[in-house]
Amino acid sequence: MSVGEAIRQNGASASKGVRPELLLTLIFVLQLALMAARYFGAPLSVEPRGPADFDDFHLVGQAVWRGDIMQAYDPVWMAKAQKAAWDKDIHLPWTYPPIFDLVVAVLALVPVSFAYTIFMSSTFAAYLIVLKKIAKENLFWVLVLICPAISIMIGAGQNGFLTGALVGLACLGLKSNRSWAGVPLGIMVIKPHLAIGIGLYAIVSRRWKVIFIAATTIILLSLVSTLLMGPSIWMAFIASVGEARNGLARGDYPFFRMVSIYAALFTFGVPVTIAALVQLVVACCAIVGVWFASRRFQLNVALGLAAISSAAISPYIYDYDLPVFGIGLALLMPDIKKVVTTFEQIVLYALCFFSSAWSLGVVTVDLIHGKLMSTPLSQSKLGEWQPLSLGGIAVVAALLLCWVFMVREKARSSEAAL
């Protein structure tokens, strides 16, 4: 059976009451419930639960209430705070904009177990609702292609469901020509690099009301952040961004979990300057591509390419950020199914799946063998093997294939019109 036939059969089965996407969703819900149970202290494994990204959210949220939030942007202070909280030496620096400090401050109002359960279940539900609205009968296959990223998200307790839902809402608003699309687009200032493509689409397509509302949302949230935490918080944030850039050059991060071309080249031993230059070229091509798509393609295709392009722009993007990639796939899938061969579908979907499955596989091997393969490159011993970063190669390759397919279909349509 071809991939296209399988997708069509899935849609037919869903109409008869068989809901494979519901079964897959229940698996994710079970994983989330088990993770929440571990936060509540349930003895579900021999090893105690180690600190995850969400624990860092909660720790920084507590710093907001204590008035220590500016120090949280200092990597030395954060390392000491993490050591004191978890009795472990870990590398989880804080580089989020002050606006996201407001979110983690709310999370810190309750114990970490309740905070994880509330935040993850609500953002996961929001993401699924938005994804269903966009993907419609293709929901199951979109979930399959991004299921490693979803699993990683649940385990890390990151904010990928939140950013994915916001980008999806912005796309839905743009599709229906609603000005309120600027609100979720503006809130994406919490991770602006993931919304560059959608923001550029709004500009190129002259959605000035959307741009105005997005800008107003950013200004208002920034003012609230400044009033509550003081204007100096912005200088601390800017300094942390500079330190993160230096950390990328030193190899201070678990690069195998990153899904950028920069990370891939870095782990292959390419000099930092060349890796950064290649990343810049890829980012510029992605931005130009969004501009071209916004002017030449129909709305769904332009938005889909814009969402996927956003995942290829920044050197600092992780596997847990790929729910945004899923929004792009959901927008493109109806056209992909119509214009590509079975073999092309298999190649494209394999790349999409591999983009986050690679890091999940490395982490799984890490857990099975009890060997910390996720140590940052700068902290690894001389001669110690470190896993490569291959997810970014898959992301860019998938984006290129989507472009080839859509341009080819555009050419065919133009010829048919003649």
Side-chain angles (χ1 to χ4, degrees), residues 137-198:
E137 70 274 7
N138 298 313
L139 178 63
F140 172 74
W141 285 99
V142 175
L143 288 175
V144 167
L145 297 180
I146 63 169
C147 68
I150 292 177
S151 183
I152 290 167
M153 259 295 309
I154 293 171
Q158 257 287 346
N159 53 21
F161 294 142
L162 174 61
T163 54
L166 288 171
V167 169
L169 282 172
C171 290
L172 286 172
L174 288 167
K175 284 182 62 178
S176 57
N177 200 26
R178 301 297 177 86
S179 299
W180 59 255
V183 175
L185 187 59
I187 297 174
M188 274 301 294
V189 71
I190 62 175
K191 272 195 175 179
H193 55 288
L194 298 181
I196 292 175
I198 303 302

Side-chain angles (χ1 to χ4, degrees), residues 63-129:
V64 174
W65 294 112
R66 290 195 309 267
D68 294 334
I69 184 57
M70 279 211 298
Q71 288 90 328
Y73 286 99
D74 179 358
V76 176
W77 186 94
M78 273 297 289
K80 291 179 180 178
Q82 291 159 350
K83 176 71 173 179
W86 308 313
D87 195 27
K88 287 187 177 181
D89 294 316
I90 59 174
H91 183 74
L92 289 173
W94 189 252
T95 56
Y96 281 95
I99 293 165
F100 192 65
D101 296 339
L102 302 177
V103 177
V104 296
V106 174
L107 296 175
L109 291 172
V110 296
V112 65
S113 52
F114 287 100
Y116 173 87
T117 305
I118 294 170
F119 179 73
M120 293 304 298
S121 58
S122 60
T123 56
F124 181 48
Y127 179 68
L128 280 179
I129 292 171

Side-chain angles (χ1 to χ4, degrees), residues 78-416:
M78 273 297 289
K80 291 179 180 178
Q82 291 159 350
K83 176 71 173 179
W86 308 313
D87 195 27
K88 287 187 177 181
D89 294 316
I90 59 174
H91 183 74
L92 289 173
W94 189 252
T95 56
Y96 281 95
I99 293 165
F100 192 65
D101 296 339
L102 302 177
V103 177
V104 296
V106 174
L107 296 175
L109 291 172
V110 296
V112 65
S113 52
F114 287 100
Y116 173 87
T117 305
I118 294 170
F119 179 73
M120 293 304 298
S121 58
S122 60
T123 56
F124 181 48
Y127 179 68
L128 280 179
I129 292 171
V130 172
L131 190 64
K132 171 62 177 175
K133 185 76 172 177
I134 296 172
K136 298 179 181 177
E137 70 274 7
N138 298 313
L139 178 63
F140 172 74
W141 285 99
V142 175
L143 288 175
V144 167
L145 297 180
I146 63 169
C147 68
I150 292 177
S151 183
I152 290 167
M153 259 295 309
I154 293 171
Q158 257 287 346
N159 53 21
F161 294 142
L162 174 61
T163 54
L166 288 171
V167 169
L169 282 172
C171 290
L172 286 172
L174 288 167
K175 284 182 62 178
S176 57
N177 200 26
R178 301 297 177 86
S179 299
W180 59 255
V183 175
L185 187 59
I187 297 174
M188 274 301 294
V189 71
I190 62 175
K191 272 195 175 179
H193 55 288
L194 298 181
I196 292 175
I198 303 302
L200 181 58
Y201 169 82
I203 293 173
V204 175
S205 58
R206 300 181 180 182
R207 305 292 187 91
W208 303 126
K209 289 184 179 179
V210 172
I211 296 299
F212 175 78
I213 292 176
T216 302
T217 301
I218 293 171
I219 292 170
L220 290 176
L221 291 175
S222 300
L223 285 175
V224 171
S225 303
T226 304
L227 289 172
L228 294 179
M229 292 176 282
S232 298
I233 192 68
W234 294 99
M235 296 304 298
F237 163 64
I238 292 171
S240 74
V241 172
E243 180 56 31
R245 184 172 59 250
N246 294 334
L248 280 172
R250 291 191 302 263
D252 286 351
Y253 301 97
F255 274 47
F256 78 93
R257 290 194 57 191
M258 290 186 172
V259 288
S260 68
I261 283 295
Y262 174 88
L265 295 176
F266 191 99
T267 59
F268 275 101
V270 175
V272 171
T273 304
I274 297 177
L277 180 60
V278 174
Q279 178 67 55
L280 179 61
V281 171
V282 169
C284 290
C285 289
I287 290 172
V288 171
V290 172
W291 178 86
F292 180 86
S294 302
R295 296 179 64 86
R296 296 297 183 90
F297 291 132
Q298 59 175 317
L299 182 58
N300 257 31
V301 173
L303 286 174
L305 290 172
I308 293 178
S309 295
S310 296
I313 292 174
S314 173
Y316 192 88
I317 179 171
Y318 277 92
D319 44 19
Y320 51 69
D321 292 317
L322 289 180
V324 169
F325 191 87
I327 296 295
L329 283 177
L331 287 162
L332 289 177
M333 192 164 283
D335 291 275
I336 290 172
K337 287 161 56 178
K338 291 188 297 185
V339 305
V340 304
T341 66
T342 298
F343 175 75
E344 290 171 338
Q345 277 185 298
I346 292 173
V347 173
L348 175 61
Y349 293 168
L351 288 170
C352 295
F353 185 84
F354 183 80
S355 62
S356 57
W358 168 255
S359 59
L360 181 62
V362 173
V363 171
T364 302
V365 172
D366 187 346
L367 294 174
I368 292 173
H369 292 279
K371 181 181 179 182
L372 189 60
M373 298 163 61
S374 57
T375 304
L377 295 177
S378 61
Q379 299 175 19
S380 60
K381 299 176 182 178
L382 184 64
E384 183 180 13
W385 180 80
Q386 283 287 321
L388 298 171
S389 174
L390 301 181
I393 297 175
V395 167
V396 173
L399 174 60
L400 285 173
L401 278 183
C402 288
W403 260 103
V404 169
F405 299 153
M406 296 302 106
V407 170
R408 187 179 66 191
E409 176 57 22
K410 181 72 174 179
R412 287 178 180 174
S413 300
S414 299
E415 291 178 0

Side-chain angles (χ1 to χ4, degrees), residues 24-37 44 124 154:
L24 190 54
T25 300
L26 290 175
I27 293 173
F28 294 139
V29 170
L30 176 60
Q31 182 189 357
L32 199 158
L34 290 174
M35 193 65 196
L44 300 178
F124 181 48
I154 293 171

